[in-house]
Amino acid sequence: MGSNETPGWRRLNVGIIGGGIGGMSAAIALRRAGHLTTIYERADFAGEVGASVSCAANGTRWLHAWDVDVAKGDPVVLRKLINRDWKTGEPVSVYDLDDYEKRWGFVYNMFHRQFMHRMLMDCALQKEGKGTPSTLHVNHKCESINLDTTTITFTNGVTAQHDIIVGADGIGSAVRTAIGIQPAKRPAEQSCLHTNVSTEEAVRAGLVDYSQNSALEYWGGQEGKWDKIVLSPCNDGKLLSYYCFFPREKGDYATQTWASEDRPVEELLAPYPELDRNVFKHLAIGKEIRPWRLWLHDPYPYLSRNRVCLLGDAGHPMMPHQSQGACMAIEDAAALGILFGEDHFRGDIDEVMAVYDDIRLPRVTRVQAAAAKAAYNINERIGFSVNKNISTYKVEDPKKILTIEEMNAYDMHKDVEEQLAARRGEVFAQKFIRGLPIGLELPSGVIIGESN
């Protein structure tokens, strides 16, 4: 199979290690680009506990570009970001999203992880749609990779050879080790317990119906402390997903795993004696209380080596406080789909891998740094970062805040064209720099294309 558009284009046989949200996104993007894709998942997907997943416009746009049936994910479309006082629950900072779709062309979705995963897996594997359906092998845990032959050896004794390998195997990535990256990491100063609350059960108990707000809601974060509660509605508002943060000295879960036993509700409530009683009562009826290990990773020096690349948490683990982890994995997948697509791929895998690094590393590193700042200062969080009229507003550097404009005005196609042109010694004459339009003024006061 060849391309009428780009001489040298060829169909590749792609191995994707990891069948989570990032791996499924990569399978869809590369399938749509005309390639054969095989997904290898270490688990069997049984017993997965669900938490919420944010998907802002910069992620949602690719779901639509790939013809994913978003309705299958049963999302909540967010209308607001609300930061509440820790003790009283009164709103402190509100960022309105009413004009979000009009401004950016796509809504801000909040998914339940299990539903989002099923939505993506169905799209990757189904016969319908452009490209050859992906193949999925479960219970295949990567043991090693031969970089010279691009051969994967699994712990079950199976081997598989591919033209390229995409490592989407999460924060404990075996693929990352295989390409020579040894993370400089440390436990975060923050711990987290996650719990799910049924809206129906909360309403039946006479508690506040937070599902009516269609909002990401935060308690705390204004005081420079590690304590923070994050409420994410999902499943069309039927489920309330709570992330409960507190100082690590109050509970260290660095050695725990997400699939470990549920923690007692008393352990969840203990760090919060002064928390707003409305949300405290929600936590008291929480189910599936699980620890979430939080680690800080220094940015990696590269994302690819030979014909192997990293995607999502395997390549850039980040704190969750910008709600961009899934979006960055989806963007990684989109970059691979564009770079290996018929418009750009000339058959040179090394060129593509180099440009993948050129495109993704600056953007994900920026989000990583901003997410670490927002862990203890919610004013650094996208959206709240421009609410400068509140009395408690303070950021580390007003010129470096991360904004919705920077995330959603980004045009990956232009970024690809610019970086490919640089690699090929060609002229890039369009008025964009790294995917952002020259002259765009960000709320930080930075104007794209002007030196600051």
Side-chain angles (χ1 to χ4, degrees), residues 319-397:
M319 295 285 277
H321 301 287
Q322 293 291 357
S323 305
Q324 276 287 323
C327 285
M328 290 297 99
I330 291 170
E331 282 193 3
D332 291 344
L336 291 174
I338 295 170
L339 285 163
F340 282 111
E342 293 188 351
D343 289 341
H344 298 297
F345 182 44
R346 296 177 178 174
D348 187 342
I349 293 173
D350 291 340
E351 177 186 66
V352 167
M353 292 299 189
V355 175
Y356 178 71
D357 272 18
D358 292 343
I359 290 169
R360 297 308 298 154
L361 268 177
R363 188 159 165 90
V364 299
T365 298
R366 170 123 170 84
V367 176
Q368 275 178 309
K373 289 180 185 177
Y376 55 87
N377 181 1
I378 202 166
N379 296 301
E380 297 276 3
R381 200 261 184 216
I382 301 167
F384 298 131
S385 64
V386 299
N387 280 354
K388 302 176 184 179
N389 59 345
I390 65 170
S391 60
T392 53
Y393 183 85
K394 185 178 181 181
V395 296
E396 183 178 304
D397 185 340

Side-chain angles (χ1 to χ4, degrees), residues 67-82:
D67 293 323
V68 175
D69 186 352
V70 175
K72 278 187 179 178
D74 201 23
V76 169
V77 175
L78 293 183
R79 302 299 178 194
K80 284 183 172 61
L81 306 177
I82 304 173

